[in-house]
Amino acid sequence: MSSQAPTSADACLSIVHSLMCHRQGGESESFGKRAIESLVKKLKEKRDELDSLITAITTNGAHPTKCVTIQRTLDGRLQVAGRKGFPHVIYARIWRWPDLHKNELKHAKYCQYAFDLKQDSVCVNPYHYERVVSPGIDLSGLTIQHALPIITAPPSRLVKDEYQGGNHHPAIEAGDSCQTIQHPPQDSFTSRGLPSSALASSGIGLSSPLGENYPQIPHSSQANLSPFPRNSSSATWAGSSTATYTQTQDPQFWNNNHLQTSDNIPLPPLTNQQPPEFWCTITYFELDQQVGETFKVPYSCSTVTVDGYTDPSSLDRFCLGQLSNVHRTEASERARLHIGKGVQLDYRGEGDVWIRCVSDHSVFVQSYYLDREAGRAPGDAVHKIYPSAYIKVFDIRQCHRQMQQQAATAQAAAAAQAAAVAGNVPGPASVGGIAPAVGLSAAAGIGVDDLRRLCILRLSFVKGWGPDYPRHSIKETPCWIEVQLHRPLQLLDEVLQTMPLSSEVRPRGFFLG
């Protein structure tokens, strides 16, 4: 430990200040401070462990240290600033890997209280864990889910949005978490986890995830695309997987027409192609059945309303009330009565999308963009938007980066898989080696349909779904819509056609025909 580092005998404020200086930037400053303060206070009575934490962090793990433990909670997760997460992951993100996902950690053999050992205490020493490639694939923005058992509590214990006044916020007593139990999908598999030898042998450059034939976005350009912090103050959590939004964000910060780099240089358009004829198409479903024709929205209508009324001919209103369904259930009939003024979708800049809830009842949204802003794994949360709230739900530049990265990752995985078959990948016993069989196979199988999901929003009226509700998926909700965004689909087509894939390493299903 350096001579300037504090010791356990110092005041909590001094210790927190020192440890804050070693943050890696993966979490907001306010969240990081709350998490560090909480940990230091818990360790004040265990001075030897607090000294171990200070030594580990201030020396970047240069010296061996003992376990730093906190009490394990009933569900294994730690709550900080209204968010829940696995404690060893939270502190590893703060001090070691800012982009870490929850299934990428493996404890060191000498760690006696590692999270996976299921003991009463949990070690949160970031240097008692190593980052590994997870056998399940998320590809940093796209969840491939296995059949996952989900157990729900009796309806009285669930967070619900019944046919009450829409401004009623469900109260959750302190310490009373929802009883829904889920096994979350595996997390991301990115090119950083592939053996460098496999990438090099397949001809994929390590400096750019897209290879030398694909341009990179300058780092300074990427840094300023999200003026709001990732964990926006407008979102609060109701239950384990439902984020609620009651405030209105200020769209002036988000208009892509005014995005600039740190040098105040306007960002260039993502493509020089002419935009497609329609900026989106909207499809209405009741349970898992499509009802009526798909509604197409031209660029001349930058705002479109989806409501429960009956105008059959409007260009900027998709009126669900005029759609008939001979197989309509009683649940769908009841829910349709409460759509009312519905929602407004606003198209901004080069392709950002905002939603305003103008119904008297909340709506529930599936949005990879909001997942990332809330610090959750893609597809891991449902976002409840209250009446009058105006929320950004899609960022085209973020989506473009995701599709570039995921397409390149699938290409890299296919190349690494081919190298593994040829015997060119070091095994798990080798220095720096991993066992690639399962992960590479799944990554190499990512297809165009998987990437297309990045360009889709889904929204349910009145009723939510997920672990906090009796409905496991949106296809079990009584009435919902799917919005396909055409500009992102155009960009995806461009990305796929530009990828320098050879027939030997082409990921399965990337192209039709």
Side-chain angles (χ1 to χ4, degrees):
M1 188 171 12
S2 68
S3 58
Q4 296 181 353
T7 69
S8 60
D10 290 317
C12 287
L13 187 62
S14 299
I15 299 173
V16 170
H17 177 75
S18 175
L19 297 179
M20 282 286 288
C21 295
H22 294 270
R23 291 188 307 114
Q24 298 301 307
E27 301 285 359
S28 66
E29 182 177 356
S30 60
F31 179 86
K33 185 176 181 181
R34 292 280 294 276
I36 294 171
E37 285 176 342
S38 172
L39 179 58
V40 170
K41 289 177 181 178
K42 290 175 181 176
L43 296 176
K44 254 308 187 179
E45 301 302 318
K46 298 187 287 185
R47 291 195 169 186
D48 55 338
E49 293 188 21
L50 182 52
D51 280 325
S52 289
L53 175 69
I54 295 170
T55 300
I57 301 308
T58 58
T59 66
N60 296 323
H63 302 291
T65 50
K66 63 188 300 182
C67 287
V68 177
T69 61
I70 61 174
Q71 187 72 24
R72 180 186 291 270
T73 60
L74 289 177
D75 65 355
R77 296 184 299 168
L78 177 68
Q79 181 161 328
V80 177
R83 283 174 48 200
K84 276 193 170 186
F86 296 119
H88 63 311
V89 176
I90 289 176
Y91 293 107
R93 282 175 179 162
I94 290 175
W95 284 310
R96 292 196 71 183
W97 303 287
D99 58 344
L100 179 73
H101 291 274
K102 59 180 176 288
N103 290 301
E104 293 181 330
L105 287 183
K106 180 180 180 181
H107 65 270
K109 292 182 179 179
Y110 51 79
C111 185
Q112 299 178 340
Y113 295 95
F115 181 84
D116 292 338
L117 298 181
K118 308 293 185 184
Q119 300 202 51
D120 290 340
S121 296
V122 177
C123 178
V124 294
N125 187 334
Y127 292 93
H128 279 204
Y129 295 89
E130 292 301 327
R131 189 173 191 171
V132 296
V133 174
S134 169
I137 309 301
D138 176 338
L139 285 184
S140 187
L142 181 63
T143 300
I144 300 177
Q145 300 190 15
H146 307 287
L148 301 172
I150 298 178
I151 306 171
T152 59
S156 61
R157 297 299 304 274
L158 296 168
V159 180
K160 299 189 292 183
D161 185 78
E162 299 298 344
Y163 305 114
Q164 305 168 356
N167 290 311
H168 170 71
H169 298 189
I172 299 180
E173 296 179 3
D176 182 20
S177 62
C178 284
Q179 299 302 305
T180 302
I181 301 172
Q182 71 163 350
H183 300 272
Q186 299 293 317
D187 277 296
S188 69
F189 179 96
T190 61
S191 58
R192 64 173 181 271
L194 295 175
S196 58
S197 59
L199 293 176
S201 64
S202 61
I204 297 174
L206 294 177
S207 60
S208 168
L210 302 175
E212 60 184 12
N213 295 327
Y214 209 97
Q216 294 189 61
I217 300 175
H219 178 75
S220 61
S221 299
Q222 298 182 30
N224 286 317
L225 295 183
S226 294
F228 281 108
R230 163 175 281 190
N231 302 300
S232 172
S233 61
S234 64
T236 56
W237 292 92
S240 62
S241 297
T242 305
T244 64
Y245 301 79
T246 59
Q247 302 176 19
T248 294
Q249 298 171 349
D250 187 348
Q252 66 172 317
F253 290 102
W254 294 106
N255 194 330
N256 268 343
N257 289 330
H258 302 291
L259 281 177
Q260 297 177 329
T261 67
S262 57
D263 300 323
N264 294 322
I265 301 173
L267 292 177
L270 294 172
T271 179
N272 292 324
Q273 293 189 64
Q274 290 295 315
E277 182 180 1
F278 305 101
W279 70 263
C280 78
T281 52
I282 307 172
T283 307
Y284 171 62
F285 294 85
E286 293 177 0
L287 302 176
D288 61 353
Q289 181 182 11
Q290 178 179 340
V291 178
E293 299 293 326
T294 296
F295 187 82
K296 300 177 181 180
V297 185
Y299 275 88
S300 60
C301 301
S302 59
T303 297
V304 61
T305 300
V306 183
D307 59 38
Y309 303 130
T310 58
D311 187 342
S313 59
S314 176
L315 287 177
D316 61 356
R317 284 177 59 203
F318 186 18
C319 296
L320 306 181
Q322 47 99 16
L323 300 178
S324 61
N325 178 11
V326 295
H327 302 292
R328 180 165 293 149
T329 64
E330 183 180 349
S332 295
E333 192 70 61
R334 287 200 311 271
R336 283 166 54 84
L337 296 174
H338 298 275
I339 295 175
K341 295 180 180 179
V343 296
Q344 291 177 351
L345 304 177
D346 282 356
Y347 180 93
R348 290 182 168 272
E350 195 172 353
D352 292 355
V353 178
W354 289 66
I355 284 182
R356 185 189 306 277
C357 179
V358 289
S359 172
D360 291 334
H361 295 267
S362 301
V363 295
F364 298 80
V365 177
Q366 182 183 74
S367 162
Y368 287 165
Y369 167 78
L370 286 179
D371 291 342
R372 284 182 171 272
E373 292 300 297
R376 298 295 289 262
D380 191 38
V382 178
H383 303 273
K384 180 178 181 179
I385 301 178
Y386 280 92
S388 301
Y390 187 47
I391 302 296
K392 183 179 182 181
V393 293
F394 182 82
D395 185 291
I396 193 167
R397 290 184 179 270
Q398 182 194 79
C399 178
H400 189 231
R401 290 196 301 274
Q402 284 182 266
M403 62 178 66
Q404 288 176 331
Q405 293 164 0
Q406 291 174 22
T409 299
Q411 178 199 21
Q417 187 181 45
V421 172
N424 295 329
V425 179
S430 304
V431 177
I434 62 168
V438 176
L440 295 181
S441 176
I446 294 301
V448 65
D449 284 340
D450 301 305
L451 295 171
R452 183 177 59 85
R453 294 189 185 102
L454 295 173
C455 311
I456 291 175
L457 297 169
R458 287 177 164 181
L459 180 151
S460 171
F461 295 96
V462 183
K463 294 290 186 177
W465 75 94
D468 300 325
Y469 295 88
R471 296 161 291 276
H472 297 163
S473 77
I474 195 171
K475 292 185 178 180
E476 297 177 33
T477 61
C479 49
W480 58 281
I481 57 173
E482 180 177 276
V483 183
Q484 289 205 28
L485 304 173
H486 288 198
R487 188 63 161 179
L489 287 171
Q490 187 180 47
L491 292 174
L492 175 59
D493 181 72
E494 190 175 82
V495 168
L496 294 176
Q497 292 196 52
T498 310
M499 288 294 295
L501 296 176
S502 67
S503 59
E504 290 80 10
V505 298
R506 186 185 304 277
R508 294 189 299 275
F510 252 66
F511 296 91
L512 301 176

